Amino acid sequence: MTAVAEPMTAVHPGGRPSKAMANPGHGDAFTDHMVTAYWTREAGWGPARLGALENLTIHPGMIGLHYAQVVFEGLKAFVQADGSIAAFRPRANAARFARSAARLAMPEVGEAMFLRAVEDVVRADADWLHDNPRHTLYLRPLLYASENNLMLRASNEYTFLMMAFLAGGFFGDAVEPVRVLVSRDFTRAVPGGTGNVKCAANYGPSLLAQRQAHEAGCAQVVWLDAAEHRYVEEMGGMNLFFVRGSGSSATLVTPQLTGTLLPGNTRSSLLTIAGLEGHAVSEERITVDQWRAECAAGTITEVFACGTAAVVTPVGAVRDRDGDFAIGDGAMGPITKKLRTALLDIQHGRRPDPDNWLHPIC
Ligand SMILES: Cc1ncc(COP(=O)(O)O)c(C=O)c1O
């Protein structure tokens, strides 16, 4: 069959670029609206207004650009079984956004303003979703220091934005197991640092390690702890789970939150879901040597990564300085598949919501 290239000018009947609608990828199919609010030290927060997504005009001496006083979030809205749209656990994102802001000496966006911004953008851009219910709206709240001043101090002015893009799959549409590289050259987070919050400055420095992973034929990088370089922490922008054993007696382990890992909302959701599915769950420290040995012994049968963007993605193989190894037979295992399905079913309202995770919008 010959693939016929779509003309670049093709537009969806609703005015959307049809390429984006067919395969939105992850990150550039921006929707039409954003919410903007400004904070000043004298007046606090002004009104949060919905408007068109448009370019920003910024001064070259803006604090956020120079000193990385910038935090962000990532959450999704899903089409429900009945055709309505709901956001998944936006209160958890609001709480983490506030913690991130506090860590960077920034003013917090209150939960009510955060939720309202989510609702406004989703309502305004809901029609982006209805063509393909497998697509999601990925919402990106951003808070940055917007005062123009190059003195190294906390800004006296901040801007809050809530934008969105249409998302397909993070690793493409198919759920294929990924190969990952254990980073031995770089560290993501240090005790007392910012690893447990979502600030922009955590991500720029991770990109060289990510490039090394790609050069080694891997999709992602696995981070080890900064002090001993032994304990597995997390993976790129995702948390990790290890499955020990199989069937109904399988147990799940995820690295303990030591202060240098980001406490993922997907991680916390899966801990609950796995428990509801009858699996014992624990949060432990696990070394990369233990990971390799338990895979060789067949104790660890499956490993998966999880996050808002990646949902649940199986890890099939690990590349490491001390020897590469495979996980199980390298394919997606049954526990990974079951938990991925359960999570997506809850997010799409196809299975009971265990704890008011869904926030209905329109
Ligand atoms: C470093 C890091 N770890 C883990 C996660 C997963 O978090 P969540 O499940 O809340 O998306 C993310 C994504 O936000 C991340 O950036």
Side-chain angles (χ1 to χ4, degrees):
M1 201 167 68
T2 319
V4 179
E6 235 179 308
M8 291 303 286
T9 50
V11 287
H12 177 263
R16 317 293 178 222
S18 63
K19 268 183 183 283
M21 299 304 286
N23 178 14
H26 187 93
D28 62 357
F30 289 103
T31 62
D32 303 316
H33 295 88
M34 68 176 179
V35 165
T36 307
Y38 302 104
W39 184 96
T40 62
R41 197 160 295 287
E42 306 77 53
W45 282 112
R49 293 210 167 92
L50 179 76
L53 180 90
E54 56 189 14
N55 290 344
L56 304 171
T57 302
I58 56 172
H59 188 280
M62 189 186 82
I63 291 179
L65 274 184
H66 294 259
Y67 306 133
Q69 212 189 1
V70 181
V71 299
F72 68 100
E73 264 304 323
L75 68 156
K76 280 180 176 169
F78 295 84
V79 176
Q80 303 297 291
D82 64 2
S84 65
I85 297 175
F88 185 67
R89 304 194 69 182
R91 288 191 166 79
N93 294 92
R96 192 169 66 188
F97 198 46
R99 273 201 308 107
S100 300
R103 176 63 183 81
L104 272 80
M106 302 167 88
E108 295 174 13
V109 172
E111 185 186 273
M113 185 161 113
F114 185 97
L115 293 179
R116 177 78 198 273
V118 168
E119 292 162 6
D120 284 352
V121 172
V122 170
R123 261 191 218 107
D125 289 337
D127 59 333
W128 279 74
L129 267 179
H130 286 302
D131 285 63
N132 183 341
R134 282 177 50 242
H135 293 164
T136 56
L137 266 192
Y138 180 99
L139 292 138
R140 169 51 61 86
L142 177 74
L143 176 66
Y144 61 92
S146 43
E147 184 187 352
N148 309 322
N149 193 319
L150 289 183
M151 178 72 107
L152 181 53
R153 59 156 173 77
S155 179
N156 289 315
E157 294 168 21
Y158 295 88
T159 301
F160 167 56
L161 303 177
M162 177 77 70
M163 68 199 89
F165 60 79
L166 186 71
F170 185 70
F171 291 107
D173 270 342
V175 188
E176 295 293 335
V178 293
R179 179 194 295 268
V180 297
L181 176 73
V182 177
S183 183
R184 298 290 193 162
D185 296 334
F186 301 107
T187 299
R188 189 189 88 94
V190 297
T194 55
N196 62 348
V197 297
K198 211 162 161 60
C199 60
N202 286 346
Y203 294 86
S206 74
L207 299 177
L208 191 53
Q210 185 62 36
R211 183 190 290 171
Q212 281 187 342
H214 282 149
E215 285 167 359
C218 296
Q220 280 290 333
V221 56
V222 171
W223 299 109
L224 302 182
D225 75 292
E228 298 181 59
H229 303 291
R230 290 195 312 132
Y231 294 102
V232 176
E233 297 214 316
E234 54 185 315
M235 196 180 104
M238 288 152 248
N239 293 112
L240 278 167
F241 274 85
F242 303 86
V243 180
R244 287 188 172 125
S246 57
S248 56
S249 60
T251 61
L252 280 100
V253 179
T254 189
Q256 197 183 329
L257 298 178
T258 53
T260 48
L261 286 76
L262 190 78
N265 296 330
T266 319
R267 174 188 183 277
S268 107
S269 307
L270 288 167
L271 284 170
T272 301
I273 294 169
L276 292 172
E277 292 285 326
H279 298 289
V281 291
S282 65
E283 298 173 65
E284 293 172 18
R285 298 196 84 189
I286 174 166
T287 65
V288 67
D289 289 344
Q290 195 183 344
W291 183 5
R292 181 185 296 102
E294 289 197 37
C295 283
T299 317
I300 290 179
T301 52
E302 303 176 31
V303 175
F304 60 84
C306 66
T308 299
V311 191
V312 168
T313 298
V315 177
V318 182
R319 299 209 76 167
D320 180 40
R321 178 192 71 184
D322 293 345
D324 298 352
F325 55 101
I327 295 150
D329 61 4
M332 170 149 59
I335 305 289
T336 304
K337 196 169 185 176
K338 177 172 80 170
L339 294 175
R340 180 183 160 88
T341 304
L343 175 64
L344 284 168
D345 281 351
I346 292 170
Q347 290 173 327
H348 284 282
R350 298 188 291 253
R351 146 188 314 233
D353 178 350
D355 196 16
N356 288 321
W357 286 343
L358 289 172
H359 182 77
I361 298 179
C362 56

